[in-house]
């Protein structure tokens, strides 16, 4: 199936969801996030306008329904030029959408996507709605929300940059267009030389992709388009480095709960790579069915063929009030699993740094696909394993990860672990797993633990005190090459390989993997 076909599949699928979604008394589908109304209306209108799509509903009725949603949505925009939120929409609409306070976030991406939708489908809109949408874009332009200098090189500024290009061209504002082009060149230079400060940042990486793909779809100047292609080549090469069958391996500076401990925001990956089945639940639809840009051939081929394992080592530069901080990231990518993380702890926004994990392909949608341990920190709550303590050190080498968590640095919480579903055998301080019928895993803990079986995972809770964990994963093919032909023989082999935890209290752990690699963690405590 081609990228175009996969986009059409997404359009049809989300249009069906939109058609079946009950309309609330406010005239909208959702009060949780204003943008979801925009996305669903876009898909429903686009599907109904496409005669090649097989649909189970009346096209005229569907387009009328989408137009009613658009009309109500546009009414929520702040149109007062004297307001501090001029041109903006509310974000959360509960309980009364028309009384909700405007927020700076929705317009960042929705403003550009609204322009794209109007450009592509505006001729088919009723005249009154077409005029209202045109006026909404004028309010966005006059608001100047995007007129901000580059500072952090984050997803907000990426969207400002794309908006400068789009609104500068649309409204014939040459100064704004040139400002956007300069911002684009500066951003591209920064990420090429210093890495993305928002490493593995989901879902915000997809905002970069959408914003710049949207700009490329509409910008007419070839010199600017060339730089946009260079930016998108960089972004998709970066994505491809950490791709393993629908999943994003390696560390994440930030993430939402639908991507940790399970990769669920997968629509853009599905369009690009297409080597996994779409899950039933789609937590963020955005514009994956509309915008696409094919990754560089070499990067895409490497992402789709992990038959030869590869190590990815990168240095990411973070800007702080006291100067630059360099973070070292690592990922070991194979066909059946990946091991990755960032060696240094860094306090990210909302304390969402996801330090390390073992990532598995998206082949079992009933299970989480990440295995990791952490010491809970600020904002942690049971069921949300995204918030870690400032303590802890890790060592990563190929298929092995070691982590040490001194109790003195924690928030009083015990070390917690997340394991995917599989065949697990549990002993007092060890666990042995067979995952996806293709990977064996051994987990060694310093202290005894308690395990809780949940619908989609196993949660591990260690005893009080300083704790440590060593994880080794190995595919059945790798294991077979060294004479391990079954799960039973793997468990028997690993029972004799318990790490040297004796010096863990002094900050030293040593382990020799099944493949003969020696991995050691040595830190000052």
């Amino acid at each position: 199936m081609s990228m175009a076909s996969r986009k059409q599949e997404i359009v049809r699928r989300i249009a069906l969801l939109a058609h079946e979604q009950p309309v609330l008394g406010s005239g909208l589908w959702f009060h949780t996030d204003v943008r979801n109304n925009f996305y669903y209306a876009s898909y429903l209108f686009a599907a109904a306008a496409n005669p090649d799509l097989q649909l189970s509903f009346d096209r005229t009725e569907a387009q009328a329904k989408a137009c009613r949603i658009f009309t109500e949505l546009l009414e929520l925009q702040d149109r007062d030029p004297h307001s501090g939120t001029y041109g903006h929409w509310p974000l959360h609409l509960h309980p009364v959408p028309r009384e909700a306070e405007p927020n700076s976030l929705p317009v960042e991406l929705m403003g550009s996507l609204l322009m794209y939708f109007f450009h592509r489908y505006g001729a088919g809109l009723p005249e009154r709605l077409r005029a209202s949408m045109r006026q909404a874009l004028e309010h966005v332009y006059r608001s100047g929300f995007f007129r901000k200098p580059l500072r952090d090189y984050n997803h907000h500024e990426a969207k400002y940059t794309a908006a400068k290009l789009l609104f500068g061209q649309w409204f014939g504002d040459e100064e704004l267009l040139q400002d956007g082009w300069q911002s684009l060149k500066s951003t591209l230079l920064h990420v090429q030389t210093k890495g993305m400060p928002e490493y593995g940042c989901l879902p915000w990486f997809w905002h970069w992709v959408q914003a710049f793909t949207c700009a490329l779809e509409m910008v007419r100047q070839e010199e600017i388009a060339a730089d946009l292609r260079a930016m998108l080549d960089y972004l998709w090469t970066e994505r491809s480095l950490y791709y393993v069958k629908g999943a994003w391996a390696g560390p994440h500076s930030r993430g939402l709960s639908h991507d940790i401990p399970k990769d669920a925001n997968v629509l853009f990956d599905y369009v690009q790579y297409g080597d996994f089945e779409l899950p039933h639940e789609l937590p963020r639809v955005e514009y994956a069915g509309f915008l696409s840009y094919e990754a560089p051939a070499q990067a895409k081929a490497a992402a789709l063929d992990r038959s030869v394992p590869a190590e990815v080592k990168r240095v990411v530069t973070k800007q702080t009030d006291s100067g630059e901080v360099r973070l070292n990231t690592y990922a070991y990518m194979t066909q059946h699993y990946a091991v990755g993380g960032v060696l240094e702890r860094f306090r990210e926004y909302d304390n969402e740094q996801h330090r390390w994990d073992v990532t598995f392909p998206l082949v079992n949608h009933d299970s989480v696909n990440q295995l990791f341990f952490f010491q809970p920190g600020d904002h942690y709550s049971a069921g949300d394993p995204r918030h870690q303590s400032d303590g802890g050190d890790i060592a990563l080498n190929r298929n092995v990860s070691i982590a040490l968590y001194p109790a003195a640095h924690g928030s009083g919480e015990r070390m917690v672990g997340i394991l995917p579903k599989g065949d697990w055998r549990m002993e007092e301080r060890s666990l042995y797993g067979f995952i996806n019928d293709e990977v064996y895993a051994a987990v060694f803990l310093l202290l005894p633990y308690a395990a809780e079986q949940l619908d989609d995972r196993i949660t591990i809770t260690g005893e009080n005190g300083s704790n440590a964990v060593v994880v080794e994963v190995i595919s059945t093919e790798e294991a077979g090459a060294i004479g391990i032909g079954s799960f039973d023989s793997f468990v028997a082999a690993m029972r004799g390989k318990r790490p040297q935890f004796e010096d863990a209290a002094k900050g030293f752990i040593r382990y020799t993997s099944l493949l003969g690699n020696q991995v050691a963690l040595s830190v000052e405590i």
Side-chain angles (χ1 to χ4, degrees), residues 374 376-387 413:
F374 66 101
D378 294 342
H379 309 307
Y380 170 76
S381 62
D384 184 3
R386 294 178 301 137
H387 306 287
E413 299 280 356

Side-chain angles (χ1 to χ4, degrees), residues 206-279:
W206 300 125
H207 288 196
W208 285 67
V209 168
Q210 290 174 88
F212 289 123
T213 307
C214 184
L216 180 61
E217 290 271 355
M218 298 183 64
V219 164
R220 294 188 295 268
Q221 291 85 337
E222 175 53 33
E223 298 93 338
I224 300 177
D227 285 335
L228 285 167
R229 286 191 291 269
M231 172 61 79
L232 290 165
D233 283 345
Y234 171 86
L235 292 173
W236 279 109
T237 297
E238 184 79 3
R239 173 65 192 108
S240 296
L241 286 173
Y242 301 100
Y243 180 82
V244 51
K245 204 164 190 175
W248 189 311
H252 301 274
S253 61
R254 291 190 63 196
L256 293 185
S257 56
H258 55 58
D259 284 313
I260 299 172
K262 180 182 179 180
D263 292 270
N265 186 5
V266 297
L267 288 181
F268 291 95
D269 280 338
Y270 181 73
V271 171
Q272 184 70 245
Y273 305 105
D275 62 338
F276 63 95
E277 292 185 5
L278 276 179

Side-chain angles (χ1 to χ4, degrees), residues 102-415:
N103 186 286
S104 62
L105 293 179
V107 75
E108 285 185 2
L109 183 61
M110 196 172 78
S112 295
L113 300 184
L114 181 65
M115 179 181 289
Y116 171 83
F117 181 87
F118 185 77
H119 171 74
R120 183 169 176 181
Y121 296 102
L125 296 174
E127 177 54 37
R128 187 171 180 180
L129 176 57
R130 184 163 61 248
S132 180
M133 198 171 286
R134 186 184 299 112
Q135 289 170 2
L137 290 171
E138 290 177 1
H139 291 309
V140 172
Y141 168 64
R142 292 172 187 162
S143 77
F145 80 89
F146 36 70
R147 296 182 186 274
K148 297 181 177 68
L150 293 173
R151 188 188 68 175
D152 299 318
Y153 297 93
N154 59 20
H155 62 284
H156 300 292
E157 294 173 8
K159 289 178 283 186
Y160 302 156
T161 295
K164 289 175 185 178
L165 295 172
L166 287 164
F167 285 88
Q169 176 180 274
W170 188 272
F171 289 97
D173 187 334
E174 185 64 25
E175 181 180 355
L176 180 60
L177 180 67
Q178 291 300 317
D179 182 16
W181 189 13
Q182 184 57 53
S183 295
L184 171 64
K185 290 189 284 189
S186 297
T187 302
L188 181 59
L189 178 63
H190 183 93
V191 296
Q192 287 175 334
T193 56
K194 297 189 175 183
M196 293 189 74
E198 296 179 313
Y199 51 91
C201 188
L202 298 175
W204 299 280
F205 177 88
W206 300 125
H207 288 196
W208 285 67
V209 168
Q210 290 174 88
F212 289 123
T213 307
C214 184
L216 180 61
E217 290 271 355
M218 298 183 64
V219 164
R220 294 188 295 268
Q221 291 85 337
E222 175 53 33
E223 298 93 338
I224 300 177
D227 285 335
L228 285 167
R229 286 191 291 269
M231 172 61 79
L232 290 165
D233 283 345
Y234 171 86
L235 292 173
W236 279 109
T237 297
E238 184 79 3
R239 173 65 192 108
S240 296
L241 286 173
Y242 301 100
Y243 180 82
V244 51
K245 204 164 190 175
W248 189 311
H252 301 274
S253 61
R254 291 190 63 196
L256 293 185
S257 56
H258 55 58
D259 284 313
I260 299 172
K262 180 182 179 180
D263 292 270
N265 186 5
V266 297
L267 288 181
F268 291 95
D269 280 338
Y270 181 73
V271 171
Q272 184 70 245
Y273 305 105
D275 62 338
F276 63 95
E277 292 185 5
L278 276 179
H280 178 70
E281 298 292 333
L282 302 175
R284 293 179 77 99
V285 299
E286 297 186 342
Y287 256 38
F290 296 99
L291 302 169
S292 63
Y293 178 86
E294 189 154 15
Q298 185 175 358
K300 187 170 181 176
L304 291 170
D305 181 6
R306 296 289 183 194
S307 57
V308 177
E311 288 182 295
V312 180
K313 299 178 181 179
R314 290 289 185 273
V315 175
V316 174
T317 302
K318 304 284 292 190
Q319 188 65 45
T320 69
D321 292 338
S322 56
E324 289 186 346
V325 175
R326 292 163 63 87
L327 306 180
N328 294 275
T329 68
Y330 175 88
Y332 180 66
M333 309 296 300
T334 79
Q335 183 177 357
H336 301 297
Y337 64 85
V339 177
V342 54
L343 300 185
E344 297 84 9
R345 163 67 176 173
F346 189 88
R347 179 59 74 104
E348 300 285 358
Y349 179 84
D350 201 29
N351 190 30
E352 290 182 5
Q353 185 192 49
H354 184 65
R355 189 86 177 271
W356 68 274
D357 69 28
V358 180
T359 298
F360 300 94
L362 282 182
V363 296
N364 181 2
H365 291 306
D366 295 326
S367 171
V368 303
N369 69 306
Q370 295 157 14
L371 183 161
F372 59 95
F373 285 76
F374 66 101
Q375 186 180 52
D378 294 342
H379 309 307
Y380 170 76
S381 62
D384 184 3
R386 294 178 301 137
H387 306 287
Q388 307 182 10
S389 77
D390 291 331
D393 289 278
I394 66 173
L396 304 168
N397 184 274
R398 295 170 65 86
N399 64 327
V400 173
S401 58
I402 300 176
L404 174 64
Y405 299 106
H409 295 284
S411 61
E413 299 280 356
R414 304 172 182 182
M415 187 179 76

